[in-house]
Amino acid sequence: MDIKIGDHKFSFMPLTYDVPDRDLNLFLEQQDKRVIQKWYCDGTPSAPSPLIQKFKAETNLLLYAPLDPGVSPIDFDYKPSLRQKKEVARMHARIIKGTGLIDRTLLNALLQKVFGGAEVVIPWADIFAKFGTGHSVQVVSRVVYRRFAMMDLKSKEGRVILSVPIGGRHFVLKTAECTEDGPRLLTQFGVWSDATFEGPFTLPDTESARALRQEWSKWRKSEIKKQQKALKKETERLKEEEKALKEEGE
């Protein structure tokens, strides 16, 4: 299947990253948008005030430049060299030219128009229903880039990964307990307990975003069938081995 971004046409396939990949992990960390907020039980104004109710996550591109000779793709301490940075800049320039645009700002705007972004809603009502208003809480809202949102674009300009956000996750840190004598800190770092909330969120609803999800869904179903077949085969092998061991022990 092909995807058109401006005047540039890309072929793509769903991406899995089971094997550690330094560049991809760094890319995900950079995209990992976080919104940190605090609510206080002692009457101190929340930070920020008022509390943020929702935020938008954008589509992003990762451009791969060849690693320097001798560098392992799983060397997470390695920093991109000047040569790699220049190569990524050249790739950006070639892609921008191919899309008929003039700079990265316009390319990013076009990506958001073509693929959209996820609107992540912070479920304050659910958070307070669980923790009550008798605790100070810190909420870290984070965009989740799931596997099927990652697409490997087959570009003549080089290896390009497209990441379309499709959800959000919220982690709640209970920091203090409200008492008559004022807030009592629970621990130095707070307490994590049953404090993960999913969504709600709005999926990107552009034609291209829907096409990506449909393509991934077909691919993932075929992968599941392959895994089920392999598991069945392995189960049968283990049963035969177990049977042979029993016969040997008799």
Side-chain angles (χ1 to χ4, degrees):
M1 182 174 178
D2 292 334
I3 287 288
K4 195 171 184 182
I5 304 177
D7 298 331
H8 203 339
K9 187 176 288 186
F10 295 88
S11 296
F12 72 90
M13 63 178 292
L15 172 75
T16 59
Y17 50 99
D18 297 325
V19 177
D21 180 319
R22 181 188 63 88
D23 289 325
L24 183 58
N25 275 275
L26 289 173
F27 176 58
L28 292 173
E29 286 177 12
Q30 291 164 2
Q31 295 186 85
D32 194 10
K33 183 173 182 178
R34 298 174 185 225
V35 177
I36 300 176
Q37 305 183 75
K38 295 182 179 181
W39 183 87
Y40 303 96
C41 63
D42 61 354
T44 302
S46 60
S49 185
L51 293 169
I52 297 170
Q53 302 295 321
K54 57 187 175 182
F55 61 95
K56 192 73 173 281
E58 295 187 335
T59 295
N60 288 279
L61 282 180
L62 165 63
L63 280 61
Y64 276 83
L67 286 170
D68 290 328
V71 175
S72 167
I74 60 174
D75 182 356
F76 295 102
D77 293 325
Y78 174 78
K79 304 298 182 185
S81 65
L82 180 61
R83 179 193 61 78
Q84 286 178 293
K85 291 178 181 178
K86 287 183 177 179
E87 178 57 28
V88 167
R90 284 193 289 267
M91 287 175 66
H92 254 121
R94 291 194 295 267
I95 289 174
I96 288 167
K97 183 177 179 181
T99 55
L101 303 172
I102 59 174
D103 60 30
R104 288 194 193 186
T105 300
L106 291 177
L107 175 60
N108 184 63
L110 180 60
L111 286 174
Q112 309 319 314
K113 181 179 179 181
V114 173
F115 298 103
E119 186 175 73
V120 185
V121 178
I122 302 172
W124 286 109
D126 293 340
I127 291 169
F128 288 132
K130 181 169 184 61
F131 290 97
T133 54
H135 291 89
S136 292
V137 296
Q138 176 174 312
V139 178
V140 180
S141 300
R142 189 170 89 195
V143 177
V144 178
Y145 290 83
R146 292 183 183 150
R147 211 172 275 204
F148 58 86
M150 305 294 292
M151 296 291 167
D152 197 346
L153 302 184
K154 301 303 179 182
S155 170
K156 63 182 180 180
E157 313 303 345
R159 191 179 179 204
V160 182
I161 305 299
L162 175 72
S163 175
V164 182
I166 58 156
R169 183 175 293 166
H170 315 280
F171 301 95
V172 180
L173 175 66
K174 188 164 58 177
T175 56
E177 194 172 52
C178 302
T179 70
E180 292 181 356
D181 299 324
R184 180 177 66 84
L185 294 179
L186 297 174
T187 69
Q188 183 179 356
F189 302 105
V191 177
W192 293 94
S193 175
D194 296 326
T196 303
F197 296 82
E198 290 285 347
F201 52 86
T202 303
L203 289 173
D205 196 35
T206 66
E207 181 180 352
S208 294
R210 290 194 299 272
L212 289 178
R213 291 198 297 272
Q214 290 169 2
E215 188 71 14
W216 179 86
S217 181
K218 289 189 294 184
W219 167 80
R220 185 57 187 154
K221 286 175 183 176
S222 67
E223 288 296 304
I224 289 172
K225 288 181 179 178
K226 289 179 184 177
Q227 291 172 18
Q228 288 174 333
K229 186 176 180 180
L231 183 61
K232 183 179 179 181
K233 187 175 181 180
E234 178 64 10
T235 300
E236 291 174 350
R237 186 192 68 77
L238 290 173
K239 285 182 178 179
E240 289 296 322
E241 184 178 344
E242 182 182 35
K243 181 180 177 182
L245 289 172
K246 285 181 178 180
E247 292 175 350
E248 289 175 4
E250 291 177 353

